[in-house]
Amino acid sequence: MHPAPSVIVFTTLSGLGFGLLAFLGLGLPDVSGMTAFVFFFIGYGLAIAGLLAATFHLGNKVNAHKAFSQWRTSWLSREGVCSVAALLVMAPYAIGRIFCDANWAILGWVGALLCLGTVFTTSMIYAQLKTVPRWNMRWTPALFLTHALAGGALLAGQISAAAILLALLGAVLAISWKQGDQRFEDTGTTLGTATGLDSIGTVRQLEPPHSGKNYLLKEMAFQVGRKHSAKLRAIALALGVIVPVLCLTVLPFSHGLALVAILSHLVGIMAGRWLFFAEAKHVVSLYYQS
Amino acid sequence: MTALPEAADKKLGLVIDLDTCVGCHACVVNCKEWNTSNYGNPLSDIDAYGAEPEGTFLNRVHAFEVTPDTGGCAQTIHFPKSCLHCEDAPCVTVCPTGASYKRVEDGIVLVNENDCMGCGLCAWACPYGARELDALAGIMKKCTLCVDRIYNENLPEEDREPACVRTCPAGARHFGDLGDPSSDVSKLVAEREGMDLMPEMGTKPVNKYLPPRQKDTLLADMALTPKSEEPKGFLAWLDKALEAL
């Protein structure tokens, strides 16, 4: 699948933002006044920046508001509804923390739940697609949720929680890669079943249907970068998980080091998310395989 | 709502005969012509007269080669591919805006272009590559089964079928109600063992493909034996004269 920068930025930033907001909703850390403002500003900033980035890949933005209408069937619509609900519920809770020195805990809990719901609905947009076997598994929502929780804990300054969740993220990443590598083969889909000609014999492409490119090839038959898969996985694991964990556990705590941990984590998960798209093979690419 | 209908009253669709298709691309051209000049946004082209032309098409003809496992001649299969108007169409349910829908009355899968936001998720959900986002309009385009022809009373009756079917010079494309077992298309599918593409994807396509008939195997005694003999008379003299030169 084509790793569109807008979608990579969207899923990583909004995941981090909603992860942080979820921790803030649970009162972790228990902040008020200016400190609370800074935390909520970062949380809202990341979540909204991510959501705005997502609109960049729309072909016809004027109809974007209609995306809230089909929550009964569409995960993308559910994500839209859930994200707006999360931001709206968290707003009065944030105001209470920042201006009234109050902890309206129930609002915070509901907000946190909606934040995680948003991350879950985002993950289901990918996990629901049978056409992309690598994504079509339970580990996809697990991956997105541990991403958001680990990044959120890191941003919320929850040192021990962040270390544990980051280690968990490393494990879930490794399992997702391993399981994902097998998924396409497991579906049994080949050019033979795609053309129905497997009943006769071995099928190969003789000629593509057109000499130029097309939307399908650009969007779904992305090839570049798969050869660097192993290196990128190592980078994602090293920068996204190992460096931040070392910063949090082995080295003495300082704000500078926390920033290093956060930036390293961000670069690492972006590399991982790039791979999430670049490595995913859509079944339609079989029709174009020479 | 982008929920699928419980059951469509009819299952209008195409039957494509892979044995007959000659790969002339007339269906591609006529589809593009009809659908760019009638319902909805036109099917745009980019760099149409340049070095790297590309554009939106609702129907494309692939070419595959299949080599029988049992031995024998390899066959070239021309393979037209367009929307299969699936009964369990994943492209419909993923749509967040309600633009994609499947009609109850005839099962045709359509996009309401006034509602489409161009997110492209429906194209991701389709295993067959039947949907293309138009680069200029930013709106998802797909086969409409020529919904503006098949019911169009301004057209002569023989033209009330999809443009690709009407134009096919080989008679490789058939249109009809696949939900009615007594229809011509259903009989054809039964007789020729029509098949689904990627049945494992669970989409239950309405369109069916008729498999190519197996070709003969070449036997040793079927090859022609050489008929030339030693030349006589004038030809013998010519032969000698030419060799002496």
Side-chain angles (χ1 to χ4, degrees), chain B residues 38-200:
Chain B
N38 290 283
Y39 162 80
N41 275 282
L43 304 170
S44 69
D45 289 316
I46 293 168
D47 195 23
Y49 302 99
E52 289 182 43
E54 59 176 282
T56 310
F57 286 81
L58 310 183
N59 176 35
R60 296 186 186 259
V61 180
H62 295 248
F64 299 108
E65 182 193 72
V66 57
T67 311
D69 294 332
T70 49
C73 302
Q75 290 175 246
T76 299
I77 315 286
H78 300 288
F79 193 92
K81 187 162 63 62
S82 55
C83 173
L84 307 175
H85 297 279
C86 302
E87 281 184 70
D88 200 347
C91 57
V92 170
T93 49
V94 298
C95 176
T97 64
S100 277
Y101 62 105
K102 186 172 172 70
R103 301 191 349 156
V104 185
E105 61 269 40
D106 51 19
I108 301 179
V109 176
L110 290 175
V111 174
N112 177 352
E113 300 189 354
N114 295 326
D115 286 342
C116 175
M117 67 172 185
C119 69
L121 189 57
C122 55
W124 284 13
C126 171
Y128 310 107
R131 288 172 169 244
E132 299 187 17
L133 190 78
D134 188 85
L136 286 191
I139 279 171
M140 196 53 72
K141 301 296 296 186
K142 70 174 293 301
C143 161
T144 65
L145 213 60
C146 284
V147 71
D148 49 353
R149 284 177 72 98
I150 57 177
Y151 299 113
N152 192 337
E153 289 180 3
N154 295 318
L155 296 176
E157 208 175 333
E158 64 269 29
D159 282 336
R160 289 180 213 158
E161 57 182 12
C164 57
V165 176
R166 184 76 183 102
T167 201
C168 178
R173 305 180 69 98
H174 309 271
F175 164 70
D177 181 6
L178 287 141
D180 171 10
S182 65
S183 70
D184 287 348
V185 281
S186 296
K187 285 185 205 155
L188 195 56
V189 170
E191 188 186 317
R192 295 276 307 280
E193 294 176 345
M195 60 193 183
D196 289 346
L197 305 185
M198 281 195 233
E200 68 277 12

Side-chain angles (χ1 to χ4, degrees), chain A residues 95-147:
Chain A
I95 289 169
R97 286 238 171 217
I98 297 167
F99 298 106
C100 314
D101 199 16
N103 175 18
W104 297 320
I106 293 175
L107 269 182
W109 279 89
V110 174
L113 202 64
L114 285 168
C115 285
L116 293 181
T118 306
V119 176
F120 175 71
T121 48
T122 305
S123 71
M124 285 307 292
I125 295 171
Y126 304 103
Q128 69 176 332
L129 296 172
K130 276 190 188 168
T131 49
V132 187
R134 184 182 281 278
W135 294 346
N136 186 227
M137 57 178 186
R138 287 186 185 165
W139 287 102
T140 301
L143 184 67
F144 275 62
L145 282 168
T146 35
H147 259 118

Side-chain angles (χ1 to χ4, degrees), chain A residues 64-184:
Chain A
H65 65 279
K66 293 181 181 168
F68 297 110
S69 64
Q70 306 300 312
W71 48 271
R72 270 177 258 194
T73 51
S74 163
W75 281 107
L76 180 49
S77 184
R78 284 172 201 161
E79 184 213 29
V81 172
C82 217
S83 61
V84 169
L87 295 176
L88 288 179
V89 170
M90 285 303 278
Y93 173 76
I95 289 169
R97 286 238 171 217
I98 297 167
F99 298 106
C100 314
D101 199 16
N103 175 18
W104 297 320
I106 293 175
L107 269 182
W109 279 89
V110 174
L113 202 64
L114 285 168
C115 285
L116 293 181
T118 306
V119 176
F120 175 71
T121 48
T122 305
S123 71
M124 285 307 292
I125 295 171
Y126 304 103
Q128 69 176 332
L129 296 172
K130 276 190 188 168
T131 49
V132 187
R134 184 182 281 278
W135 294 346
N136 186 227
M137 57 178 186
R138 287 186 185 165
W139 287 102
T140 301
L143 184 67
F144 275 62
L145 282 168
T146 35
H147 259 118
L149 286 171
L154 191 61
L155 287 175
Q158 303 300 302
I159 295 174
S160 45
I164 295 167
L165 286 166
L166 281 166
L168 189 65
L169 172 61
V172 176
L173 266 172
I175 296 170
S176 306
W177 286 329
K178 191 158 187 321
Q179 301 277 322
D181 287 345
Q182 225 12 71
R183 288 288 298 159
F184 201 101

